[in-house]
Amino acid sequence: MQRAAQRDDRARHHQRAKRLRRVLVCAAAVPAVLITAACSSDSGDSKPKSDGGSSTQSAGSSTQPSASASPTVKAAAYQKLPDACGALAKGTLADLVPKGVKSSKKGSSDDPSSRASCSWNSLDNNGVKGSQFRWLNVSLLRFDSDAARGSGDEQAHTYYGRQVQDAQAVDGAKNPKVVPLSGTGAEASAVRYDLKKKEGLFKQQTVVARVENVVVTVDYNGAGLAGEKTPDADDLTKAAEKALKEVVAAVSAANGEGGKASSPSSAPASPSGSASKSASKSPSKSASSGASPSKSAAKKS
């Protein structure tokens, strides 16, 4: 009995010691758990709550204007072109193409208000003495103002320079000469040269003028054929200049501004050589097709 009681005491003592160890172990573990929880809490608190400044800034930036207003350009002065075949008086045609007044041939155009042309030819046959040949071509090109391409005047100025340049660069042209003209539109030039062909020696005159947003080109050449004498280049140039002035006046008349064509424009002008350097490849949508009148003149000669 006593031994059994002793065994029971030892067992109870052993169980109390075991429970005490468990308490101590748990007590030792509590600080670690608290530390871990505290660390977790600190790490959570260290995160930025919300970037109110950035949100405000972003919201503020979205209220800024998206784009500035499109730039405006000067409106084109002329809105239409005259009939190219009716731009010259009958008396003028009788002087330039004496045997071809009724030979007018209108050029094709998908937009007559922007592009127009007409040509005449004359052969004055003097029998055994030979013949006098004349060929005349009038070409008009109008440019509309456009925010992307610029004002009609600026586009016309560029095209004017290119026309003068092209007239000097015709294949086979001999002794080319450029002469500035005054009193015709905003800017004008005459280009003259000789062109030797199997039929004879041709005297070519190309006169170009810009009036506001319209460019007028007059090609005029003459030749003495089959023994007839070669025409005087000065006489041909004067005749071409006369025709040029009449066509420029017709442009203004077609737009209800009779005297405006003969007065210089306020748009920038420069010598033909420098203007040609800035020539654009496509001056306007309506003017992007078709050959240059001066090059066409060489083919027709």
Side-chain angles (χ1 to χ4, degrees):
M1 293 287 294
Q2 186 178 1
R3 290 183 179 177
Q6 290 177 349
R7 284 197 299 269
D8 290 339
D9 290 340
R10 284 197 300 268
R12 283 195 296 269
H13 178 76
H14 178 71
Q15 288 177 355
R16 284 197 297 270
K18 187 176 182 179
R19 282 196 297 268
L20 180 60
R21 284 196 299 270
R22 288 178 181 174
V23 171
L24 293 176
V25 170
C26 291
V30 168
V33 173
L34 293 176
I35 292 172
T36 302
C39 292
S40 299
S41 176
D42 290 341
S43 61
D45 292 341
S46 64
K47 293 181 181 179
K49 295 181 180 180
S50 63
D51 191 358
S54 300
S55 300
T56 304
Q57 184 177 2
S58 177
S61 62
S62 64
T63 61
Q64 296 296 325
S66 58
S68 58
S70 299
T72 57
V73 295
K74 176 185 175 183
Y78 297 131
Q79 301 300 318
K80 56 185 177 179
L81 297 175
D83 176 15
C85 290
L88 296 174
K90 289 184 178 180
T92 302
L93 288 173
D95 290 340
L96 273 67
V97 285
K99 297 296 182 178
V101 174
K102 297 182 179 181
S103 67
S104 61
K105 182 179 180 181
K106 183 176 291 188
S108 61
S109 174
D110 57 355
D111 185 4
S113 68
S114 295
R115 175 188 290 274
S117 64
C118 191
S119 62
W120 298 260
N121 62 77
S122 172
L123 183 64
D124 188 2
N125 192 338
N126 297 313
V128 295
K129 293 182 179 180
S131 304
Q132 284 290 334
F133 173 80
R134 300 290 186 273
W135 181 77
L136 172 67
N137 184 79
V138 172
S139 174
L140 303 99
L141 198 61
R142 185 184 66 83
F143 295 83
D144 285 318
S145 295
D146 183 89
R149 297 187 179 95
S151 71
D153 287 12
E154 292 171 342
Q155 295 178 67
H157 169 69
T158 298
Y159 184 72
Y160 161 82
R162 191 170 69 182
Q163 285 293 86
V164 175
Q165 178 78 5
D166 287 349
Q168 301 174 66
V170 171
D171 291 341
K174 302 295 183 182
N175 306 314
K177 183 179 180 181
V178 182
V179 180
L181 303 178
S182 60
T184 305
E187 49 191 335
S189 297
V191 181
R192 47 193 285 185
Y193 56 85
D194 297 337
L195 193 63
K196 182 68 175 178
K197 304 189 74 173
K198 62 180 181 180
E199 296 88 352
L201 180 63
F202 287 77
K203 296 289 185 177
Q204 172 68 38
Q205 326 296 314
T206 297
V207 287
V208 188
R210 177 183 69 82
V211 51
E212 304 293 346
N213 59 310
V214 175
V215 176
V216 176
T217 304
V218 174
D219 289 296
Y220 184 50
N221 64 42
L225 307 179
E228 181 64 283
K229 67 178 182 180
T230 301
D232 183 75
D234 290 335
D235 292 341
L236 295 179
T237 300
K238 290 178 181 179
E241 288 180 34
K242 179 182 179 180
L244 180 69
K245 289 182 178 181
E246 285 191 18
V247 179
V248 167
V251 172
S252 291
N255 289 271
E257 301 179 17
K260 189 172 182 179
S262 60
S263 61
S265 167
S266 59
S270 64
S272 59
S274 61
S276 62
K277 294 180 181 179
S278 62
S280 61
K281 294 183 179 180
S282 178
S284 73
K285 183 177 181 180
S286 61
S288 60
S289 60
S292 167
S294 58
K295 293 182 179 179
S296 177
K299 296 178 181 179
K300 292 289 184 179
S301 300

